Amino acid sequence: MSIALEQISKHYDGTAAVNDVTVDIAEGEFFVLLGPSGSGKSTLLRAIAGLTTIDHGRIVLHGRDVSSVPAKDRQVGFVFQNYALFRHMTIADNIEFALRARRVRVNERRRRRAELLALVALEGMDNRLPAELSGGQQQRVAVARALAHEPRVLLLDEPFGALDARIRDELRRAIREIQRAVGITTILVTHDQEEAFTMADRLGVMDRGRLQEVGEPRALYTVPRTRFVATFLGAANLLLGHDDGGGVRIGDSVFRPNRRSSPATVNGTEATIVIRPEDIAIAHEDESAYPHPIGTAAVTELEFVGSSERIRLKVTSSDHLQSALSPDAGAFTIEASRNAHDSETFPLVSGQPVAFGAKRIHVLSTRISTMRLIAGTEAAGKQLRESVLVRDLADRMHIVPSVRVTGADGKDPLLSGLAVVALEDGQGLAGAVRVLQAGACQVLAIGNGERPVERLLIYTQPSRPARDGALSAAGSLLRHMNIDATLLVRADERFMYGRRYRYLLDIRESALRVHGVDVRTESFRGNIVHELALRLRSSATTLLLVGVTSTASGRVLIDGLGKLVSREACAAILLTSARGEPEQRPVWPEFRRYAVARGAVARKTSSCKARFAADRNPAGARLPGG
Ligand code: ADP
Ligand code: MG
């Protein structure tokens, strides 16, 4: 591995500019960091170069931990946006600057300078001053200068920012060629999506200090995992689908998403569907738009852009067809684009009714796709909408919350996505439980006198980790909130012998792989409600996330939590229900099966237990009490 970043965090004035970034970059790779302005890209790059310190984590360059090595000893070359050439020095002196500082002999300096000027195609320009070169040429000199001392890593921070479009294009190609010729591992920072696509071997998308997703450009574009990446990497139509057991229903069609790239959804839950404009199919009103018909719409805008045509369609929302951005709005817009050939064979006019469908769709693995505020009255609903947490989440997740006033019986059959209720005095979790019983998979109960959330505590009753609703919800939350998260795992006496230790490993692995959350795990002994009470006492700015099963023990847990939140202050509590998931089986049968499968002779229980433990704990991970 050429560059390994492990859980890098950097705070300015208490807020994280870079939050828990972990990524590996291979030797010779051209890696692009893409994100909006202020997302932490430059901070991360400067941290790698050693130009800024980090608060947490490790930076490993070619196997060497350089976290506390000074910048000049990291073998890193850096190019900034504003060409930082020395104005009063010739090109030759600029390029040789780093070599002179390293006391390289004059002959060697000359040889290296000639080589570099040839590499960046500026031979013979040695004696010019920077002001005598064009912007593009100056940036090429900056690249040559950064490569002079033969660094093993090249970092480029928006190097094309100040150039006009044509020169930028040329320089992109030049830099990519130079990088290939030298074979140097490179990270380029940009906020330009097209630039990222054309240059990257792999792409990392940053937002609010977090590295949201990493992948090859095409994969991130076609199968993103988050709303942010789906919409940041280009225009995207977001529709709301519903899992109906066999697939995801959207409008007139049921899609069977690829289970490997899509989440395991539970019957009845919502899913966010991404359809790119070029993947929208348009047909005559009385025909079906193949291959996946969705519904009908009216053409509202047509825009001719030479090679293609941009079309806006107005769709009237129905029970079957809703926008995932504001599901309760009456109508929404679909963006489509067609190539010149299609627009000639089937010309459209403004106002024309059409049928539309999708050539390709993608189901997002975001657990929280809509937010509904459940309240007894309109006024109470408005109050919920004003709560800090709701405003924050809605803003960050690009969700427009809708208010739903419940009837006298408090039942509402249409609950999915994230339901939000107020924690009422003396009621415990009764309101939240009613919503769960009405079929919701996740309910957020917000305390009054709510404070901004600073940390997330997660506990989940054992269920199959890959399908764990609590972890999946945690993943959604953590991608969008700048907070620390801790997963609590019970460690009883049987912990190290039984399935629980296995479970701990599974749950961490799965949290990272399936849900994209890297959380700290802490074990505790005894009763979870007592444990949470202790932890709440030390900080009331906690959001509790508790996954409960729909079994007797789930009911006992909810009961305990209800008493807890009536007694202790917490910012909010999010309950997720693992509907239909089996509860954890007893430890012993599992252990026996394992022992037999491993050929361990289970003559003496104690030795077999020990072997099991040693096998399960090869790296000597710390176990409770040990
Ligand atoms: P990007 O390069 O993605 O535009 P930056 O890494 O420059 O983002 O900044 C990330 C966040 O950190 C921003 O909110 C910015 O205001 C803050 N920040 C960056 N550098 C400093 C600094 N030296 N002092 C205080 N805040 C900073
Ligand atoms: Mg920047």
Side-chain angles (χ1 to χ4, degrees):
M1 208 48 60
S2 186
I3 304 174
L5 306 181
E6 296 170 16
Q7 302 196 309
I8 307 292
S9 294
K10 170 74 181 178
H11 293 76
Y12 287 115
D13 310 323
T15 41
V18 173
N19 195 345
D20 221 355
V21 169
T22 298
V23 67
D24 286 340
I25 297 169
E27 184 69 47
E29 190 171 2
F30 199 108
F31 189 88
V32 174
L33 267 179
L34 172 69
S37 165
S39 56
K41 307 180 296 292
S42 295
T43 305
L44 185 57
L45 211 63
R46 295 172 61 82
I48 299 170
L51 300 174
T52 181
T53 55
I54 53 175
D55 306 334
H56 181 80
R58 250 164 46 106
I59 299 167
V60 180
L61 301 182
H62 297 94
R64 183 166 71 119
D65 184 346
V66 298
S67 311
S68 47
V69 170
K72 65 173 178 36
D73 299 328
R74 290 195 186 188
Q75 291 190 291
V76 166
F78 206 112
V79 177
F80 301 91
Q81 170 172 355
N82 40 355
Y83 356 92
L85 296 181
F86 302 114
R87 303 260 133 217
H88 56 282
M89 282 189 200
T90 61
I91 302 309
D93 289 342
N94 262 288
I95 293 180
E96 287 185 28
F97 182 77
L99 301 177
R100 227 178 253 132
R102 285 173 172 76
R103 299 186 190 287
V104 175
R105 282 221 301 271
V106 70
N107 286 348
E108 172 61 17
R109 283 203 317 255
R110 293 242 165 86
R111 191 192 60 76
R112 184 86 187 118
R113 186 220 306 168
E115 202 176 274
L116 285 163
L117 281 176
L119 182 71
V120 299
L122 290 174
E123 293 110 320
M125 305 261 183
D126 308 60
N127 295 322
R128 297 217 193 160
L129 286 171
E132 294 167 328
L133 299 185
S134 73
Q137 288 173 327
Q138 289 184 43
Q139 274 309 61
R140 281 193 287 184
V141 174
V143 172
R145 193 179 60 169
L147 292 173
H149 62 287
E150 302 191 24
R152 298 184 69 188
V153 168
L154 180 62
L155 305 175
L156 309 165
D157 193 352
E158 315 233 12
F160 316 116
L163 303 171
D164 68 51
R166 198 179 50 79
I167 304 218
R168 203 157 49 205
D169 229 36
E170 237 173 67
L171 191 61
R172 273 180 202 159
R173 221 165 299 134
I175 287 196
R176 202 63 177 91
E177 268 166 31
I178 295 167
Q179 190 268 342
R180 280 206 194 94
V182 183
I184 188 170
T185 310
T186 302
I187 304 182
L188 172 106
V189 157
T190 180
H191 62 272
D192 182 329
Q193 172 252 117
E194 190 189 312
E195 186 165 296
F197 279 169
T198 52
M199 299 195 76
D201 289 328
R202 262 186 335 146
L203 195 63
V205 185
M206 284 194 76
D207 184 38
R208 297 169 202 261
R210 286 201 187 260
L211 188 59
Q212 300 281 344
E213 294 188 52
V214 174
E216 287 169 14
R218 192 177 295 272
L220 284 190
Y221 184 76
T222 50
V223 287
R225 293 169 61 115
T226 60
R227 273 186 191 223
F228 177 78
V229 172
T231 49
F232 191 71
L233 291 186
N237 296 293
L238 299 186
L239 298 176
L240 198 59
H242 296 270
D243 194 293
D244 72 352
V248 177
R249 167 166 292 284
I250 152 177
D252 299 338
S253 281
V254 174
F255 300 93
R256 266 167 230 292
N258 175 354
R259 288 288 170 199
R260 265 192 306 179
S261 66
S262 298
T265 45
V266 180
N267 196 357
T269 56
E270 290 172 348
T272 301
I273 315 284
V274 181
I275 309 174
R276 298 283 176 201
E278 63 272 23
D279 291 332
I280 294 283
I282 298 177
H284 287 285
E285 187 191 8
D286 50 359
E287 289 173 359
S288 258
Y290 285 105
H292 304 297
I294 293 177
T296 53
V299 176
T300 54
E301 260 179 69
L302 289 164
E303 210 178 14
F304 173 68
V305 282
S307 59
S308 64
E309 180 186 38
R310 277 205 284 263
I311 305 156
R312 288 168 78 93
L313 303 173
K314 187 175 163 201
V315 181
T316 311
S317 126
S318 69
D319 278 352
H320 274 320
L321 195 53
Q322 292 166 291
S323 150
L325 288 176
S326 52
D328 293 336
F332 61 97
T333 301
I334 293 277
E335 312 245 0
S337 72
R338 302 194 300 175
N339 60 28
H341 176 78
D342 286 352
S343 47
E344 273 161 32
T345 44
F346 177 30
L348 295 171
V349 293
S350 192
Q352 182 176 346
V354 291
F356 77 99
K359 298 174 196 163
R360 175 166 65 180
I361 77 158
H362 170 56
V363 180
L364 275 192
S365 56
T366 320
R367 178 81 178 191
I368 298 171
S369 36
T370 58
M371 199 189 280
R372 296 214 168 77
L373 315 176
I374 319 278
T377 61
E378 245 348 295
K382 281 222 180 78
Q383 205 173 341
L384 264 182
R385 198 199 287 272
E386 288 309 308
S387 100
V388 181
L389 189 53
V390 167
R391 278 208 320 246
D392 234 35
L393 280 177
D395 171 39
R396 295 180 172 201
M397 299 176 123
H398 303 272
I399 291 176
V400 181
S402 56
V403 174
R404 206 155 268 232
V405 177
T406 49
D409 63 353
K411 283 228 169 126
D412 188 326
L414 274 177
L415 297 178
S416 48
L418 179 67
V420 184
V421 300
L423 270 177
E424 283 154 57
D425 285 338
Q427 295 281 303
L429 287 170
V433 169
R434 266 201 304 278
V435 178
L436 277 184
Q437 281 167 344
C441 289
Q442 44 219 354
V443 184
L444 177 67
I446 294 184
N448 54 14
E450 176 209 10
R451 274 162 269 195
V453 174
E454 279 169 8
R455 62 173 188 164
L456 178 65
L457 271 185
I458 310 161
Y459 173 74
T460 170
Q461 284 194 300
S463 64
R464 265 183 297 154
R467 299 198 54 148
D468 195 304
L471 283 181
S472 161
S476 294
L477 288 176
L478 289 174
R479 282 205 187 93
H480 299 94
M481 297 176 79
N482 238 338
I483 50 175
D484 290 330
T486 306
L487 175 68
L488 296 175
V489 181
R490 190 203 314 275
D492 55 21
E493 284 77 42
R494 289 173 306 177
F495 180 84
M496 63 191 289
Y497 306 118
R499 202 177 159 205
R500 281 194 193 277
Y501 183 57
R502 171 71 202 278
Y503 176 70
L504 170 65
L505 292 179
D506 277 359
I507 207 168
R508 284 193 72 176
E509 213 262 333
S510 132
L512 196 62
R513 186 173 45 80
V514 183
H515 309 294
V517 254
D518 196 0
V519 291
R520 212 178 8 251
T521 45
E522 286 174 20
S523 58
F524 68 95
R525 286 164 188 277
N527 184 301
I528 179 63
V529 177
H530 294 162
E531 180 67 24
L532 291 175
L534 278 178
R535 287 170 183 261
L536 281 183
R537 236 161 261 166
S538 67
S539 159
T541 55
T542 302
L543 167 61
L544 296 181
L545 199 172
V546 184
V548 293
T549 53
S550 55
T551 56
S553 65
R555 282 191 289 280
V556 171
L557 176 57
I558 289 185
D559 224 41
L561 289 171
K563 294 196 180 104
L564 172 70
V565 296
S566 317
R567 235 179 21 241
E568 310 284 344
C570 74
I573 177 166
L574 174 57
L575 290 180
T576 70
S577 82
R579 269 188 305 176
E581 287 296 324
E583 243 186 302
Q584 188 195 345
R585 276 166 301 174
V587 164
W588 270 102
E590 192 67 25
F591 161 60
R592 274 201 166 291
R593 216 173 9 246
Y594 175 83
V596 170
R598 304 253 338 140
V601 188
R603 238 180 263 134
K604 256 196 167 170
T605 314
S606 56
S607 72
C608 194
K609 270 185 182 175
R611 210 173 303 178
F612 179 87
D615 209 75
R616 273 284 154 223
N617 186 23
R622 276 236 318 268
L623 293 173

